């Protein structure tokens, strides 16, 4: 699969990445090259093979749906990392125009 | 022998007898870091004051009669592991000023045991790489030859252990990131079974294969550290309720009757002749020690890297979506709207390899390509897993080279991402199948260390520790030290 500049721009947009012209060109050729290598997976017969996402056999580990108490100082330290913080809340840019 | 050169086992003995204190031991390590880290560049953060306080506390606990193999033992953690109140960067600009608000479960466990955190080690940004050259803070250097890479992504941890900046270190392994640097630096590195040690508090990369583990000077030390960090954690639901055995027991069991499988695909034309020679010598040694070598075949090994480089970038593109510049980390607040702020934050904050993987994963998961890439990769993953499980039903473990060659020169393949991915050829299998695998020193080529890998059955760490330990005691490659460290 050969990706052109428009494809790369589209992927970067989906991934929310601002890329320079130079980056767009570089990633276009590098990612095409990697995909060419990965294409060998198509030669493997996977008819009747189930996909694997979990390897140790665990299924559906449930937890009770309840609020857990967390160390207050740790909560404070976590919130302090936000670049914009006001009145005990993390400030974000407006979502709707 | 200097204190910082001690193993856990040796240091614990001296601490227990009162011959040395943890403060002395910790100071020796801190001195060593000051002395040589200007050359090796293994460390991103050193917490001298905090470490000395922890050492004093450990000495206090020893005085009160507490006995614990890790009490007062100084260690270094890879910088993608959360350490409360200590800068935790994952070697990324996007987390340049990030202070972890809580401890990872494995750090909490070590704290409780009384181990002393000396600081945080360099890695490839977000653990994406096999050389540490992807670190936003520059590469670490291999103590055996400063022009060469220490391997990666836990390269800082392995370089620190072999140059005796600490007694042991923690790394994380997603597709070889503990085993590769252990092999390139000549130390012991274990990737535990997936789920054996908790991922809670690791900065996530590939959640379906990430697992933290020890990098140590001996197999015995690895067994000690694993016992301390393993076990079920309610904060990581992929850790099963399974007893943690005493991994240090049975380490010396004779190998008579032990069957070691030799997969022919791991000694093919891609492996350098001088590496094959070392592996053949190791096989001979194992035969002398009473083990039976069995030829086996894992024909789908060759697809491991292709599967890995679909599954990994896909999970990365999802896991790294959390870096949005809103709750923590670098933030381009001057973006005119939300989307622009996201794009700027991420465009400025991530390095080249993180961007490459995010894009590759985004593409593989995008509409129209999901079946051909991600789903197909997950199916081939099933075949690889079943194939390895079937062989491991017939033998006690598999023996392979850890890497097809010795550590390469810094900058040698930095512009060729595919060549870099192919570094992982022998290590991806165990990761995709979730099997435990250990890399131990097996000799030298051109004065550079070579590692051999033992892969065991799921949760069969004890078996590979025994097989690794008997070989280690019979060969003692560890007696050789890099020149820098003499």
């Amino acid at each position: 699969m050969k990706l052109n500049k428009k494809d790369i721009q589209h992927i970067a947009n989906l991934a929310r990445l601002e890329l320079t012209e130079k980056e767009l060109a570089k990633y276009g050729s590098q990612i095409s090259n990697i995909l060419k290598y990965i294409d060998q997976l198509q030669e493997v017969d996977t008819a009747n093979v189930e996909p694997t996402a979990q390897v140790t056999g665990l299924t559906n580990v449930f937890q009770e749906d309840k609020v857990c108490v967390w160390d207050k100082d740790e909560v404070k330290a976590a919130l302090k990392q936000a670049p914009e913080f006001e009145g005990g809340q993390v400030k974000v840019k407006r979502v709707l125009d | 022998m200097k204190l910082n050169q001690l193993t856990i086992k040796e240091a614990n003995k001296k601490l227990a007898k009162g011959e040395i204190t943890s403060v002395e031991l910790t100071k020796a390590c801190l001195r060593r870091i000051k002395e040589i880290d200007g050359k090796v560049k293994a460390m991103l953060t050193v917490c001298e004051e905090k470490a000395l306080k922890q050492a004093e506390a450990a000495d206090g606990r020893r005085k009160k009669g507490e006995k614990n193999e890790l009490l007062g033992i100084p260690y270094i953690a890879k910088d993608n592991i959360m350490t409360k109140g200590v800068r935790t960067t994952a070697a990324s600009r996007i987390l340049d000023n990030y202070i972890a608000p809580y401890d990872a479960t494995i750090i909490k466990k070590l704290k409780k045991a009384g181990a002393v955190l000396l600081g945080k080690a360099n890695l490839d940004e977000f653990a994406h790489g096999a050389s540490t050259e992807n670190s936003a803070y520059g590469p670490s250097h291999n103590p055996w030859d400063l022009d060469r890479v220490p391997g990666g992504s836990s390269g800082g941890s392995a370089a620190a252990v072999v140059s005796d900046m600490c007694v042991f270190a923690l790394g994380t392994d997603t597709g070889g990131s503990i085993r590769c640097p252990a092999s390139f630096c000549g130390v012991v590195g274990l990737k535990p079974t997936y789920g054996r040690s908790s991922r809670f508090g690791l900065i996530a990369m590939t959640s379906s294969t990430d697992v933290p583990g020890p990098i140590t000077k001996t197999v015995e030390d690895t067994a000690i550290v694993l016992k301390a960090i393993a076990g079920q954690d309610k904060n990581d639901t992929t850790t099963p309720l399974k007893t943690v055995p005493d991994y240090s027991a049975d380490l010396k069991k004779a190998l008579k009757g032990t069957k070691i499988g030799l997969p022919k695909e791991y000694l093919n034309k891609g492996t350098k002749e001088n590496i094959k020679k070392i592996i053949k010598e190791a096989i001979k040694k194992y035969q002398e020690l009473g083990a039976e070598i069995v030829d086996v075949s894992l024909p789908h090994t060759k697809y491991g890297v292709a599967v890995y480089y679909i599954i990994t970038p896909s999970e990365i593109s999802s896991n790294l979506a959390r870096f949005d510049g809103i709750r923590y980390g670098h933030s381009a607040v001057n973006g005119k709207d939300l989307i622009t702020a996201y794009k700027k934050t991420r465009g400025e904050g991530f390095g080249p390899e993180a961007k490459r993987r995010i894009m590759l994963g985004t593409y593989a998961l995008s509409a129209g390509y999901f079946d051909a890439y991600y789903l197909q990769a997950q199916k081939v993953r099933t075949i690889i897993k079943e194939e390895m499980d079937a062989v491991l039903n017939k033998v006690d473990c598999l023996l392979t080279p850890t890497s097809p060659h010795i550590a390469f020169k810094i900058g040698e393949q930095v512009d060729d991402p595919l060549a870099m991915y192919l570094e992982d050829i022998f290590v991806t299998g165990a990761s995709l199948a979730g099997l435990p695998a250990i890399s131990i020193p097996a000799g030298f080529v051109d004065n550079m260390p070579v590692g051999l890998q033992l892969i065991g059955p799921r949760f069969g760490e004890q078996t590979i520790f025994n097989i690794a330990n008997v070989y280690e005691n019979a060969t003692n490659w560890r007696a050789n030290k890099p020149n820098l460290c003499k």
Side-chain angles (χ1 to χ4, degrees):
Chain A
M1 181 74 195
K2 186 115 187 72
L3 300 173
N4 60 34
K5 196 175 146 192
K6 216 180 115 210
D7 299 325
I8 292 288
Q9 184 69 68
H10 172 65
I11 300 166
N13 185 46
L14 289 175
R16 300 288 185 260
L17 282 173
E18 185 179 87
L19 298 182
T20 62
E21 284 295 318
K22 226 175 121 190
E23 285 178 311
L24 287 172
K26 190 173 78 176
Y27 293 141
S29 76
Q30 287 179 341
I31 293 176
S32 300
N33 198 22
I34 294 164
L35 289 172
K36 209 172 92 198
Y37 175 80
I38 285 166
D39 274 340
Q40 62 174 301
L41 289 183
Q42 305 308 326
E43 72 196 38
V44 186
D45 180 8
T46 52
N48 307 316
V49 177
E50 290 293 319
T52 292
Q54 218 290 335
V55 285
T56 52
L58 290 172
T59 49
N60 296 344
V61 179
F62 293 111
Q63 282 184 335
E64 243 184 286
D65 185 16
K66 63 171 191 212
V67 178
C68 298
V69 184
W70 201 267
D71 182 279
K72 278 214 172 60
D73 289 336
E74 292 189 358
V75 171
K76 225 162 134 191
L79 287 171
K80 240 174 66 187
Q81 309 277 342
E84 291 193 278
F85 192 71
E86 211 177 286
Q89 307 197 38
V90 175
K91 204 172 153 186
V92 299
K93 289 198 184 298
R94 62 184 305 155
V95 180
L96 302 170
D97 287 322
Chain B
M1 191 183 229
K2 289 184 180 150
L3 295 185
N4 53 303
Q5 295 177 320
L6 296 172
T7 63
I8 298 173
K9 179 93 178 173
E10 293 162 349
N12 174 50
K13 224 182 239 167
K14 288 184 188 293
L15 286 164
K17 280 190 193 155
E19 288 172 14
I20 61 168
T21 65
S22 172
V23 169
E24 285 165 359
L25 182 58
T26 303
K27 278 186 177 163
C29 292
L30 290 167
R31 254 199 314 274
R32 182 66 176 161
I33 293 172
K34 271 191 196 138
E35 182 189 21
I36 55 159
D37 200 43
K39 290 186 207 163
V40 179
K41 297 186 166 45
M43 305 298 292
L44 292 179
T45 302
V46 180
C47 352
E48 186 165 347
E49 241 172 79
K50 280 196 171 95
L52 287 170
K53 264 195 195 143
Q54 286 177 29
E56 273 170 34
D59 285 333
R61 282 165 68 177
R62 288 258 182 196
K63 262 196 197 120
K64 282 187 192 142
E66 193 174 329
K67 282 192 184 81
N68 172 343
E69 284 165 306
L70 291 172
L71 184 54
I73 305 289
Y75 76 102
I76 288 167
K78 186 181 182 181
D79 207 24
N80 62 345
I81 304 171
M82 303 272 270
T83 45
K84 186 174 173 174
V86 177
R87 183 172 172 243
T88 300
T89 66
S92 178
R93 291 272 172 229
I94 213 162
L95 287 174
D96 192 39
N97 293 314
Y98 185 70
I99 310 285
Y102 62 89
D103 278 322
T105 299
I106 52 170
I107 297 288
K108 227 178 223 170
K109 287 186 166 196
L110 289 178
K111 225 177 225 181
K112 212 174 145 209
V116 173
L117 178 70
L118 295 164
K120 308 295 291 288
N122 197 18
L123 64 150
D124 289 290
E125 182 178 3
F126 287 108
H128 305 167
S131 70
T132 71
E133 288 165 290
N134 293 328
S135 166
Y137 305 99
S140 299
H141 298 255
N142 192 313
W144 291 93
D145 176 354
L146 294 173
D147 291 335
R148 291 179 189 270
V149 302
S153 66
S154 312
S157 300
V161 171
V162 76
S163 52
D164 295 311
M165 295 186 209
C166 53
V167 180
F168 75 95
L170 290 179
T172 60
D173 192 314
T174 303
S177 278
I178 285 175
R179 291 161 284 160
C180 159
S183 145
F184 282 5
C185 290
V187 290
V188 177
L190 171 80
K191 180 200 97 69
T193 302
Y194 178 77
R196 181 74 290 198
S197 45
S198 165
R199 289 177 297 112
F200 183 70
L202 305 193
I203 295 176
M205 173 182 169
T206 306
S207 305
S208 78
T209 65
D210 285 348
V211 57
I215 296 179
T216 63
K217 297 171 187 177
T218 64
V219 173
E220 196 167 24
D221 278 6
T222 282
I224 293 171
V225 178
L226 183 66
K227 192 182 163 197
I229 64 172
Q232 197 191 27
D233 176 13
K234 68 172 173 38
N235 289 326
D236 176 0
T237 49
T238 59
T239 52
L241 180 60
K242 234 181 166 52
T243 9
V244 177
D246 181 5
Y247 290 114
S248 309
D250 295 336
L251 283 179
K252 290 181 180 152
K253 222 161 58 181
L255 296 186
K256 202 173 169 348
T258 300
K259 281 187 185 160
I260 299 177
L262 196 65
K264 63 174 188 209
E265 290 79 6
Y266 284 67
L267 289 171
N268 61 12
K269 60 184 187 322
T271 308
K272 285 258 192 296
E273 283 307 319
N274 48 23
I275 303 286
K276 281 187 202 168
K277 195 172 155 251
I278 293 224
I279 296 299
K280 280 180 189 149
E281 282 162 15
I283 290 165
K284 221 176 115 208
K285 186 51 112 184
Y286 267 118
Q287 283 169 327
E288 281 168 32
L289 291 166
E292 183 191 339
I293 304 291
V294 184
D295 286 319
V296 298
S297 175
L298 298 165
H300 287 80
T301 298
K302 62 175 177 179
Y303 299 110
V305 171
V307 170
Y308 183 77
Y309 280 99
I310 284 299
I311 289 178
T312 292
S314 297
E315 295 192 32
I316 285 170
S317 78
S318 163
N319 270 327
L320 265 51
R322 76 191 66 194
F323 296 97
D324 55 7
I326 289 175
R327 290 157 302 160
Y328 42 73
H330 172 72
S331 179
V333 281
N334 56 351
K336 63 176 177 355
D337 52 32
L338 190 62
I339 294 269
T340 320
Y342 285 156
K343 286 186 180 173
K344 262 186 149 13
T345 295
R346 295 161 60 79
E348 291 168 2
F350 290 130
E353 181 61 18
K355 284 181 186 166
R356 200 152 36 228
R357 293 196 186 194
I358 290 171
M359 301 236 289
L360 192 53
T362 304
Y363 176 73
L365 295 175
S366 66
Y369 299 103
F370 178 84
D371 284 1
Y373 289 113
Y374 189 69
L375 195 62
Q376 177 70 0
Q378 280 193 311
K379 286 179 179 172
V380 182
R381 182 180 185 178
T382 305
I383 298 176
I384 290 173
K385 173 181 175 276
E386 286 174 355
E387 192 171 275
M388 293 183 91
D389 285 349
V391 168
L392 282 163
N393 262 331
K394 294 188 206 128
V395 295
D396 295 292
C397 78
L398 300 171
L399 186 156
T400 81
T402 309
S403 171
H405 47 70
I406 56 167
F408 47 91
K409 291 253 168 79
I410 292 175
E412 204 169 67
Q413 50 194 44
V414 84
D415 288 324
D416 188 349
L418 184 58
M420 204 63 110
Y421 295 173
L422 291 170
E423 285 298 315
D424 300 339
I425 185 84
F426 299 149
V427 279
T428 48
S431 290
L432 292 169
L435 303 169
I438 193 168
S439 179
I440 54 172
F444 292 85
V445 163
D446 300 335
N447 205 33
M448 292 301 294
V450 175
L452 76 78
Q453 173 179 235
L454 300 172
I455 305 173
R458 221 161 277 111
F459 298 101
E461 278 84 355
Q462 219 160 359
T463 307
I464 54 175
F465 287 162
N466 171 222
I467 298 170
N469 184 62
V470 170
Y471 173 83
E472 182 186 80
N473 288 343
T475 51
N476 200 24
W477 295 110
R478 191 170 92 73
N480 302 283
K481 284 270 177 192
N483 264 330
L484 169 83
C485 309
K486 273 179 188 157

